[in-house]
mmCIF file of all heavy atoms in Angstrom:
data_model
loop_
_atom_site.group_PDB
_atom_site.id
_atom_site.type_symbol
_atom_site.label_atom_id
_atom_site.label_comp_id
_atom_site.label_asym_id
_atom_site.label_seq_id
_atom_site.Cartn_x
_atom_site.Cartn_y
_atom_site.Cartn_z
ATOM 1 N N GLU T 1 4.525 5.265 -0.747
ATOM 2 C CA GLU T 1 5.650 4.490 -0.219
ATOM 3 C C GLU T 1 6.960 4.888 -0.890
ATOM 4 O O GLU T 1 7.866 5.389 -0.255
ATOM 5 C CB GLU T 1 5.389 2.987 -0.394
ATOM 6 C CG GLU T 1 6.415 2.103 0.235
ATOM 7 C CD GLU T 1 6.552 2.306 1.725
ATOM 8 O OE1 GLU T 1 5.551 2.352 2.439
ATOM 9 O OE2 GLU T 1 7.698 2.425 2.177
ATOM 10 N N CYS T 2 7.077 4.691 -2.205
ATOM 11 C CA CYS T 2 8.345 4.937 -2.910
ATOM 12 C C CYS T 2 8.390 6.299 -3.590
ATOM 13 O O CYS T 2 9.431 6.700 -4.099
ATOM 14 C CB CYS T 2 8.606 3.835 -3.937
ATOM 15 S SG CYS T 2 7.472 3.858 -5.354
ATOM 16 N N ARG T 3 7.265 6.998 -3.642
ATOM 17 C CA ARG T 3 7.143 8.334 -4.240
ATOM 18 C C ARG T 3 7.220 8.322 -5.770
ATOM 19 O O ARG T 3 7.306 9.368 -6.396
ATOM 20 C CB ARG T 3 8.168 9.307 -3.661
ATOM 21 C CG ARG T 3 8.175 9.403 -2.137
ATOM 22 C CD ARG T 3 6.857 9.758 -1.493
ATOM 23 N NE ARG T 3 6.376 11.052 -1.920
ATOM 24 C CZ ARG T 3 5.117 11.427 -1.918
ATOM 25 N NH1 ARG T 3 4.183 10.607 -1.488
ATOM 26 N NH2 ARG T 3 4.747 12.606 -2.336
ATOM 27 N N GLU T 4 7.205 7.143 -6.404
ATOM 28 C CA GLU T 4 7.199 7.055 -7.867
ATOM 29 C C GLU T 4 5.795 7.357 -8.380
ATOM 30 O O GLU T 4 4.804 7.233 -7.654
ATOM 31 C CB GLU T 4 7.623 5.658 -8.324
ATOM 32 C CG GLU T 4 9.066 5.315 -8.004
ATOM 33 C CD GLU T 4 10.065 6.134 -8.805
ATOM 34 O OE1 GLU T 4 9.794 6.417 -9.997
ATOM 35 O OE2 GLU T 4 11.111 6.491 -8.238
ATOM 36 N N GLN T 5 5.706 7.734 -9.655
ATOM 37 C CA GLN T 5 4.413 8.048 -10.252
ATOM 38 C C GLN T 5 3.620 6.784 -10.566
ATOM 39 O O GLN T 5 4.186 5.774 -10.962
ATOM 40 C CB GLN T 5 4.595 8.837 -11.540
ATOM 41 C CG GLN T 5 5.060 10.248 -11.311
ATOM 42 C CD GLN T 5 5.101 11.029 -12.612
ATOM 43 O OE1 GLN T 5 4.836 10.511 -13.684
ATOM 44 N NE2 GLN T 5 5.433 12.297 -12.504
ATOM 45 N N ILE T 6 2.319 6.898 -10.364
ATOM 46 C CA ILE T 6 1.363 5.876 -10.794
ATOM 47 C C ILE T 6 0.636 6.529 -11.961
ATOM 48 O O ILE T 6 0.011 7.572 -11.805
ATOM 49 C CB ILE T 6 0.380 5.510 -9.663
ATOM 50 C CG1 ILE T 6 1.141 4.932 -8.468
ATOM 51 C CG2 ILE T 6 -0.681 4.540 -10.183
ATOM 52 C CD1 ILE T 6 0.298 4.793 -7.206
ATOM 53 N N LYS T 7 0.746 5.928 -13.132
ATOM 54 C CA LYS T 7 0.205 6.530 -14.348
ATOM 55 C C LYS T 7 -1.206 6.026 -14.624
ATOM 56 O O LYS T 7 -1.579 4.934 -14.180
ATOM 57 C CB LYS T 7 1.121 6.203 -15.525
ATOM 58 C CG LYS T 7 2.500 6.776 -15.353
ATOM 59 C CD LYS T 7 3.395 6.358 -16.485
ATOM 60 C CE LYS T 7 4.780 6.893 -16.213
ATOM 61 N NZ LYS T 7 5.817 6.012 -16.642
ATOM 62 N N PRO T 8 -2.003 6.803 -15.363
ATOM 63 C CA PRO T 8 -3.332 6.332 -15.746
ATOM 64 C C PRO T 8 -3.232 4.958 -16.426
ATOM 65 O O PRO T 8 -2.355 4.722 -17.254
ATOM 66 C CB PRO T 8 -3.820 7.396 -16.733
ATOM 67 C CG PRO T 8 -3.101 8.645 -16.302
ATOM 68 C CD PRO T 8 -1.739 8.167 -15.865
ATOM 69 N N GLY T 9 -4.081 4.049 -16.002
ATOM 70 C CA GLY T 9 -4.079 2.689 -16.521
ATOM 71 C C GLY T 9 -3.343 1.698 -15.635
ATOM 72 O O GLY T 9 -3.570 0.500 -15.725
ATOM 73 N N ASP T 10 -2.439 2.203 -14.757
ATOM 74 C CA ASP T 10 -1.719 1.327 -13.835
ATOM 75 C C ASP T 10 -2.651 0.842 -12.727
ATOM 76 O O ASP T 10 -3.536 1.573 -12.291
ATOM 77 C CB ASP T 10 -0.555 2.064 -13.157
ATOM 78 C CG ASP T 10 0.599 2.375 -14.085
ATOM 79 O OD1 ASP T 10 0.603 1.891 -15.235
ATOM 80 O OD2 ASP T 10 1.496 3.125 -13.649
ATOM 81 N N THR T 11 -2.434 -0.373 -12.272
ATOM 82 C CA THR T 11 -3.148 -0.884 -11.108
ATOM 83 C C THR T 11 -2.397 -0.419 -9.868
ATOM 84 O O THR T 11 -1.171 -0.394 -9.860
ATOM 85 C CB THR T 11 -3.199 -2.423 -11.134
ATOM 86 O OG1 THR T 11 -3.884 -2.832 -12.319
ATOM 87 C CG2 THR T 11 -3.945 -2.977 -9.918
ATOM 88 N N TYR T 12 -3.106 -0.004 -8.842
ATOM 89 C CA TYR T 12 -2.497 0.438 -7.596
ATOM 90 C C TYR T 12 -3.339 -0.041 -6.433
ATOM 91 O O TYR T 12 -4.442 -0.560 -6.614
ATOM 92 C CB TYR T 12 -2.327 1.963 -7.573
ATOM 93 C CG TYR T 12 -3.634 2.741 -7.537
ATOM 94 C CD1 TYR T 12 -4.138 3.231 -6.339
ATOM 95 C CD2 TYR T 12 -4.362 2.977 -8.694
ATOM 96 C CE1 TYR T 12 -5.327 3.934 -6.296
ATOM 97 C CE2 TYR T 12 -5.550 3.678 -8.665
ATOM 98 C CZ TYR T 12 -6.031 4.159 -7.463
ATOM 99 O OH TYR T 12 -7.219 4.848 -7.417
ATOM 100 N N ARG T 13 -2.821 0.109 -5.230
ATOM 101 C CA ARG T 13 -3.533 -0.294 -4.013
ATOM 102 C C ARG T 13 -3.955 0.956 -3.246
ATOM 103 O O ARG T 13 -3.153 1.850 -3.022
ATOM 104 C CB ARG T 13 -2.616 -1.135 -3.138
ATOM 105 C CG ARG T 13 -3.215 -1.494 -1.797
ATOM 106 C CD ARG T 13 -2.227 -2.286 -0.984
ATOM 107 N NE ARG T 13 -2.689 -2.456 0.370
ATOM 108 C CZ ARG T 13 -2.406 -3.504 1.132
ATOM 109 N NH1 ARG T 13 -1.657 -4.476 0.651
ATOM 110 N NH2 ARG T 13 -2.859 -3.582 2.344
ATOM 111 N N ARG T 14 -5.222 0.995 -2.863
ATOM 112 C CA ARG T 14 -5.734 2.096 -2.043
ATOM 113 C C ARG T 14 -6.285 1.484 -0.760
ATOM 114 O O ARG T 14 -7.151 0.617 -0.792
ATOM 115 C CB ARG T 14 -6.822 2.868 -2.753
ATOM 116 C CG ARG T 14 -7.415 3.997 -1.891
ATOM 117 C CD ARG T 14 -8.572 4.704 -2.546
ATOM 118 N NE ARG T 14 -8.210 5.342 -3.789
ATOM 119 C CZ ARG T 14 -7.750 6.585 -3.899
ATOM 120 N NH1 ARG T 14 -7.604 7.323 -2.834
ATOM 121 N NH2 ARG T 14 -7.457 7.087 -5.077
ATOM 122 N N ASP T 15 -5.745 1.948 0.378
ATOM 123 C CA ASP T 15 -6.233 1.519 1.690
ATOM 124 C C ASP T 15 -6.967 2.666 2.339
ATOM 125 O O ASP T 15 -6.469 3.800 2.351
ATOM 126 C CB ASP T 15 -5.059 1.110 2.592
ATOM 127 C CG ASP T 15 -4.452 -0.211 2.192
ATOM 128 O OD1 ASP T 15 -5.135 -1.220 2.378
ATOM 129 O OD2 ASP T 15 -3.312 -0.219 1.704
ATOM 130 N N PHE T 16 -8.137 2.369 2.868
ATOM 131 C CA PHE T 16 -8.897 3.339 3.660
ATOM 132 C C PHE T 16 -8.993 2.783 5.068
ATOM 133 O O PHE T 16 -9.316 1.616 5.252
ATOM 134 C CB PHE T 16 -10.301 3.545 3.088
ATOM 135 C CG PHE T 16 -11.164 4.394 3.978
ATOM 136 C CD1 PHE T 16 -10.993 5.766 4.017
ATOM 137 C CD2 PHE T 16 -12.112 3.815 4.796
ATOM 138 C CE1 PHE T 16 -11.773 6.552 4.852
ATOM 139 C CE2 PHE T 16 -12.891 4.596 5.642
ATOM 140 C CZ PHE T 16 -12.727 5.968 5.665
ATOM 141 N N MET T 17 -8.664 3.622 6.068
ATOM 142 C CA MET T 17 -8.692 3.182 7.454
ATOM 143 C C MET T 17 -9.341 4.237 8.337
ATOM 144 O O MET T 17 -9.298 5.427 8.019
ATOM 145 C CB MET T 17 -7.269 2.949 7.968
ATOM 146 C CG MET T 17 -6.551 1.830 7.271
ATOM 147 S SD MET T 17 -4.772 2.018 7.338
ATOM 148 C CE MET T 17 -4.513 3.237 6.075
ATOM 149 N N VAL T 18 -9.907 3.778 9.425
ATOM 150 C CA VAL T 18 -10.344 4.660 10.495
ATOM 151 C C VAL T 18 -9.653 4.153 11.747
ATOM 152 O O VAL T 18 -9.814 3.001 12.131
ATOM 153 C CB VAL T 18 -11.878 4.653 10.680
ATOM 154 C CG1 VAL T 18 -12.279 5.526 11.860
ATOM 155 C CG2 VAL T 18 -12.576 5.094 9.403
ATOM 156 N N HIS T 19 -8.825 5.009 12.332
ATOM 157 C CA HIS T 19 -8.053 4.654 13.525
ATOM 158 C C HIS T 19 -8.348 5.687 14.607
ATOM 159 O O HIS T 19 -8.108 6.877 14.406
ATOM 160 C CB HIS T 19 -6.559 4.633 13.198
ATOM 161 C CG HIS T 19 -5.710 4.166 14.331
ATOM 162 N ND1 HIS T 19 -5.643 2.844 14.688
ATOM 163 C CD2 HIS T 19 -4.930 4.849 15.191
ATOM 164 C CE1 HIS T 19 -4.827 2.728 15.715
ATOM 165 N NE2 HIS T 19 -4.389 3.923 16.044
ATOM 166 N N GLU T 20 -8.908 5.218 15.713
ATOM 167 C CA GLU T 20 -9.317 6.097 16.821
ATOM 168 C C GLU T 20 -10.211 7.235 16.322
ATOM 169 O O GLU T 20 -10.052 8.386 16.690
ATOM 170 C CB GLU T 20 -8.092 6.638 17.552
ATOM 171 C CG GLU T 20 -7.293 5.548 18.233
ATOM 172 C CD GLU T 20 -6.089 6.069 19.004
ATOM 173 O OE1 GLU T 20 -5.853 7.296 19.033
ATOM 174 O OE2 GLU T 20 -5.385 5.222 19.588
ATOM 175 N N GLY T 21 -11.122 6.880 15.415
ATOM 176 C CA GLY T 21 -12.089 7.839 14.901
ATOM 177 C C GLY T 21 -11.585 8.737 13.785
ATOM 178 O O GLY T 21 -12.346 9.517 13.231
ATOM 179 N N GLU T 22 -10.310 8.638 13.427
ATOM 180 C CA GLU T 22 -9.723 9.486 12.387
ATOM 181 C C GLU T 22 -9.570 8.706 11.079
ATOM 182 O O GLU T 22 -8.844 7.716 11.036
ATOM 183 C CB GLU T 22 -8.351 10.008 12.826
ATOM 184 C CG GLU T 22 -8.386 10.941 14.010
ATOM 185 C CD GLU T 22 -9.102 12.248 13.687
ATOM 186 O OE1 GLU T 22 -8.902 12.789 12.577
ATOM 187 O OE2 GLU T 22 -9.868 12.724 14.536
ATOM 188 N N PRO T 23 -10.222 9.180 10.002
ATOM 189 C CA PRO T 23 -10.078 8.494 8.716
ATOM 190 C C PRO T 23 -8.759 8.863 8.036
ATOM 191 O O PRO T 23 -8.241 9.966 8.204
ATOM 192 C CB PRO T 23 -11.270 9.008 7.916
ATOM 193 C CG PRO T 23 -11.542 10.356 8.485
ATOM 194 C CD PRO T 23 -11.183 10.268 9.948
ATOM 195 N N SER T 24 -8.215 7.921 7.278
ATOM 196 C CA SER T 24 -7.024 8.190 6.470
ATOM 197 C C SER T 24 -7.015 7.223 5.301
ATOM 198 O O SER T 24 -7.701 6.202 5.309
ATOM 199 C CB SER T 24 -5.740 8.039 7.293
ATOM 200 O OG SER T 24 -5.555 6.704 7.688
ATOM 201 N N SER T 25 -6.246 7.566 4.291
ATOM 202 C CA SER T 25 -6.103 6.656 3.156
ATOM 203 C C SER T 25 -4.680 6.735 2.641
ATOM 204 O O SER T 25 -3.956 7.700 2.907
ATOM 205 C CB SER T 25 -7.107 6.999 2.045
ATOM 206 O OG SER T 25 -6.837 8.270 1.517
ATOM 207 N N SER T 26 -4.275 5.701 1.927
ATOM 208 C CA SER T 26 -2.955 5.679 1.313
ATOM 209 C C SER T 26 -3.056 5.015 -0.047
ATOM 210 O O SER T 26 -3.949 4.203 -0.297
ATOM 211 C CB SER T 26 -1.947 4.942 2.194
ATOM 212 O OG SER T 26 -2.273 3.579 2.283
ATOM 213 N N ILE T 27 -2.130 5.387 -0.908
ATOM 214 C CA ILE T 27 -2.056 4.840 -2.253
ATOM 215 C C ILE T 27 -0.647 4.330 -2.461
ATOM 216 O O ILE T 27 0.315 5.049 -2.188
ATOM 217 C CB ILE T 27 -2.368 5.938 -3.289
ATOM 218 C CG1 ILE T 27 -3.813 6.394 -3.165
ATOM 219 C CG2 ILE T 27 -2.074 5.447 -4.702
ATOM 220 C CD1 ILE T 27 -4.140 7.582 -4.034
ATOM 221 N N VAL T 28 -0.508 3.095 -2.913
ATOM 222 C CA VAL T 28 0.812 2.553 -3.228
ATOM 223 C C VAL T 28 0.782 1.900 -4.611
ATOM 224 O O VAL T 28 -0.233 1.344 -5.023
ATOM 225 C CB VAL T 28 1.339 1.553 -2.170
ATOM 226 C CG1 VAL T 28 1.556 2.229 -0.837
ATOM 227 C CG2 VAL T 28 0.449 0.364 -2.026
ATOM 228 N N CYS T 29 1.918 1.984 -5.287
ATOM 229 C CA CYS T 29 2.040 1.397 -6.624
ATOM 230 C C CYS T 29 2.008 -0.124 -6.535
ATOM 231 O O CYS T 29 2.155 -0.709 -5.463
ATOM 232 C CB CYS T 29 3.318 1.887 -7.302
ATOM 233 S SG CYS T 29 4.852 1.323 -6.529
ATOM 234 N N GLU T 30 1.841 -0.755 -7.678
ATOM 235 C CA GLU T 30 1.757 -2.216 -7.727
ATOM 236 C C GLU T 30 3.045 -2.867 -7.227
ATOM 237 O O GLU T 30 3.007 -3.883 -6.527
ATOM 238 C CB GLU T 30 1.449 -2.654 -9.152
ATOM 239 C CG GLU T 30 1.110 -4.103 -9.290
ATOM 240 C CD GLU T 30 0.606 -4.455 -10.678
ATOM 241 O OE1 GLU T 30 0.873 -3.709 -11.639
ATOM 242 O OE2 GLU T 30 -0.058 -5.496 -10.798
ATOM 243 N N CYS T 31 4.194 -2.268 -7.534
ATOM 244 C CA CYS T 31 5.483 -2.824 -7.103
ATOM 245 C C CYS T 31 5.585 -2.822 -5.574
ATOM 246 O O CYS T 31 5.972 -3.817 -4.959
ATOM 247 C CB CYS T 31 6.612 -2.013 -7.726
ATOM 248 S SG CYS T 31 8.252 -2.627 -7.356
ATOM 249 N N CYS T 32 5.241 -1.704 -4.939
ATOM 250 C CA CYS T 32 5.286 -1.625 -3.477
ATOM 251 C C CYS T 32 4.234 -2.524 -2.838
ATOM 252 O O CYS T 32 4.470 -3.109 -1.787
ATOM 253 C CB CYS T 32 5.115 -0.179 -3.015
ATOM 254 S SG CYS T 32 6.553 0.868 -3.344
ATOM 255 N N ASP T 33 3.075 -2.645 -3.478
ATOM 256 C CA ASP T 33 2.029 -3.543 -2.981
ATOM 257 C C ASP T 33 2.545 -4.976 -2.926
ATOM 258 O O ASP T 33 2.394 -5.676 -1.922
ATOM 259 C CB ASP T 33 0.793 -3.443 -3.873
ATOM 260 C CG ASP T 33 -0.379 -4.287 -3.408
ATOM 261 O OD1 ASP T 33 -0.474 -4.610 -2.202
ATOM 262 O OD2 ASP T 33 -1.222 -4.632 -4.261
ATOM 263 N N LYS T 34 3.213 -5.414 -3.982
ATOM 264 C CA LYS T 34 3.755 -6.776 -4.011
ATOM 265 C C LYS T 34 4.864 -6.957 -2.978
ATOM 266 O O LYS T 34 4.942 -7.997 -2.323
ATOM 267 C CB LYS T 34 4.260 -7.110 -5.409
ATOM 268 C CG LYS T 34 3.127 -7.305 -6.391
ATOM 269 C CD LYS T 34 3.621 -7.603 -7.782
ATOM 270 C CE LYS T 34 2.421 -7.766 -8.710
ATOM 271 N NZ LYS T 34 2.808 -8.023 -10.077
ATOM 272 N N LEU T 35 5.712 -5.926 -2.820
ATOM 273 C CA LEU T 35 6.770 -6.003 -1.819
ATOM 274 C C LEU T 35 6.170 -6.083 -0.412
ATOM 275 O O LEU T 35 6.644 -6.844 0.427
ATOM 276 C CB LEU T 35 7.719 -4.810 -1.937
ATOM 277 C CG LEU T 35 8.904 -4.794 -0.969
ATOM 278 C CD1 LEU T 35 9.771 -6.052 -1.118
ATOM 279 C CD2 LEU T 35 9.734 -3.532 -1.185
ATOM 280 N N MET T 36 5.092 -5.325 -0.153
ATOM 281 C CA MET T 36 4.411 -5.392 1.149
ATOM 282 C C MET T 36 3.893 -6.793 1.421
ATOM 283 O O MET T 36 4.053 -7.311 2.530
ATOM 284 C CB MET T 36 3.217 -4.428 1.180
ATOM 285 C CG MET T 36 3.511 -3.084 1.718
ATOM 286 S SD MET T 36 1.958 -2.196 1.955
ATOM 287 C CE MET T 36 2.320 -0.748 1.011
ATOM 288 N N GLU T 37 3.272 -7.403 0.427
ATOM 289 C CA GLU T 37 2.746 -8.759 0.592
ATOM 290 C C GLU T 37 3.870 -9.728 0.936
ATOM 291 O O GLU T 37 3.724 -10.569 1.832
ATOM 292 C CB GLU T 37 2.024 -9.211 -0.675
ATOM 293 C CG GLU T 37 0.696 -8.536 -0.885
ATOM 294 C CD GLU T 37 0.003 -8.976 -2.173
ATOM 295 O OE1 GLU T 37 0.464 -9.957 -2.808
ATOM 296 O OE2 GLU T 37 -0.992 -8.341 -2.532
ATOM 297 N N ARG T 38 4.993 -9.625 0.239
ATOM 298 C CA ARG T 38 6.132 -10.502 0.498
ATOM 299 C C ARG T 38 6.734 -10.228 1.871
ATOM 300 O O ARG T 38 7.150 -11.152 2.567
ATOM 301 C CB ARG T 38 7.169 -10.335 -0.613
ATOM 302 C CG ARG T 38 6.640 -10.871 -1.930
ATOM 303 C CD ARG T 38 7.512 -10.601 -3.139
ATOM 304 N NE ARG T 38 8.925 -10.729 -2.899
ATOM 305 C CZ ARG T 38 9.839 -9.903 -3.401
ATOM 306 N NH1 ARG T 38 9.478 -8.892 -4.164
ATOM 307 N NH2 ARG T 38 11.108 -10.088 -3.155
ATOM 308 N N PHE T 39 6.787 -8.952 2.264
ATOM 309 C CA PHE T 39 7.306 -8.588 3.580
ATOM 310 C C PHE T 39 6.474 -9.250 4.681
ATOM 311 O O PHE T 39 7.002 -9.928 5.556
ATOM 312 C CB PHE T 39 7.302 -7.068 3.757
ATOM 313 C CG PHE T 39 7.543 -6.612 5.164
ATOM 314 C CD1 PHE T 39 8.829 -6.619 5.703
ATOM 315 C CD2 PHE T 39 6.499 -6.173 5.963
ATOM 316 C CE1 PHE T 39 9.061 -6.196 7.006
ATOM 317 C CE2 PHE T 39 6.727 -5.750 7.256
ATOM 318 C CZ PHE T 39 8.008 -5.763 7.780
ATOM 319 N N PHE T 40 5.155 -9.064 4.641
ATOM 320 C CA PHE T 40 4.296 -9.624 5.685
ATOM 321 C C PHE T 40 4.295 -11.155 5.661
ATOM 322 O O PHE T 40 4.222 -11.784 6.708
ATOM 323 C CB PHE T 40 2.884 -9.053 5.604
ATOM 324 C CG PHE T 40 2.799 -7.642 6.113
ATOM 325 C CD1 PHE T 40 2.513 -6.590 5.255
ATOM 326 C CD2 PHE T 40 3.033 -7.356 7.446
ATOM 327 C CE1 PHE T 40 2.451 -5.284 5.726
ATOM 328 C CE2 PHE T 40 2.983 -6.043 7.924
ATOM 329 C CZ PHE T 40 2.691 -5.024 7.058
ATOM 330 N N ALA T 41 4.411 -11.764 4.486
ATOM 331 C CA ALA T 41 4.483 -13.225 4.398
ATOM 332 C C ALA T 41 5.804 -13.745 4.968
ATOM 333 O O ALA T 41 5.869 -14.871 5.455
ATOM 334 C CB ALA T 41 4.330 -13.676 2.950
ATOM 335 N N GLY T 42 6.860 -12.928 4.941
ATOM 336 C CA GLY T 42 8.166 -13.349 5.431
ATOM 337 C C GLY T 42 8.362 -13.225 6.926
ATOM 338 O O GLY T 42 9.326 -13.756 7.479
ATOM 339 N N ILE T 43 7.459 -12.543 7.600
ATOM 340 C CA ILE T 43 7.582 -12.373 9.047
ATOM 341 C C ILE T 43 7.331 -13.718 9.732
ATOM 342 O O ILE T 43 6.334 -14.381 9.446
ATOM 343 C CB ILE T 43 6.576 -11.330 9.578
ATOM 344 C CG1 ILE T 43 6.889 -9.958 8.983
ATOM 345 C CG2 ILE T 43 6.595 -11.263 11.108
ATOM 346 C CD1 ILE T 43 5.829 -8.913 9.277
ATOM 347 N N PRO T 44 8.237 -14.141 10.618
ATOM 348 C CA PRO T 44 7.992 -15.402 11.336
ATOM 349 C C PRO T 44 6.627 -15.374 12.030
ATOM 350 O O PRO T 44 6.211 -14.349 12.583
ATOM 351 C CB PRO T 44 9.138 -15.452 12.355
ATOM 352 C CG PRO T 44 10.231 -14.628 11.735
ATOM 353 C CD PRO T 44 9.509 -13.526 10.997
ATOM 354 N N ARG T 45 5.940 -16.503 11.972
ATOM 355 C CA ARG T 45 4.558 -16.607 12.469
ATOM 356 C C ARG T 45 4.364 -16.016 13.874
ATOM 357 O O ARG T 45 3.408 -15.300 14.116
ATOM 358 C CB ARG T 45 4.109 -18.067 12.466
ATOM 359 C CG ARG T 45 2.701 -18.285 12.981
ATOM 360 C CD ARG T 45 2.282 -19.739 12.908
ATOM 361 N NE ARG T 45 2.141 -20.220 11.555
ATOM 362 C CZ ARG T 45 1.057 -20.030 10.799
ATOM 363 N NH1 ARG T 45 0.047 -19.368 11.277
ATOM 364 N NH2 ARG T 45 1.000 -20.515 9.572
#
C-alpha cells in the first residue's frame, strides 16, 4: 500500500484471495492495516 519497509519482528497483514480462479496475495504494514479498518468503518452503511 504505502511502499514502506516492514522489518523483521513487525506485525503485518497478509491477504490471500482467489478471484475468478486466479490466486493473489498482498502484504500491508500495521499502519495501513489500521487505516484500512478505519476507512471501511467510516463508509456509510
Side-chain angles (χ1 to χ4, degrees):
E1 186 59 47
C2 69
R3 307 304 299 155
E4 294 292 323
Q5 289 185 357
I6 299 169
K7 298 176 183 144
D10 289 351
T11 300
Y12 67 98
R13 175 182 171 149
R14 178 185 299 271
D15 287 291
F16 172 77
M17 295 155 282
V18 177
H19 185 75
E20 295 182 0
E22 295 294 319
S24 66
S25 64
S26 66
I27 294 173
V28 296
C29 66
E30 190 171 21
C31 183
C32 288
D33 183 24
K34 288 179 181 179
L35 182 58
M36 267 190 235
E37 287 179 10
R38 292 173 39 220
F39 168 77
F40 285 113
I43 296 171
R45 179 178 293 278

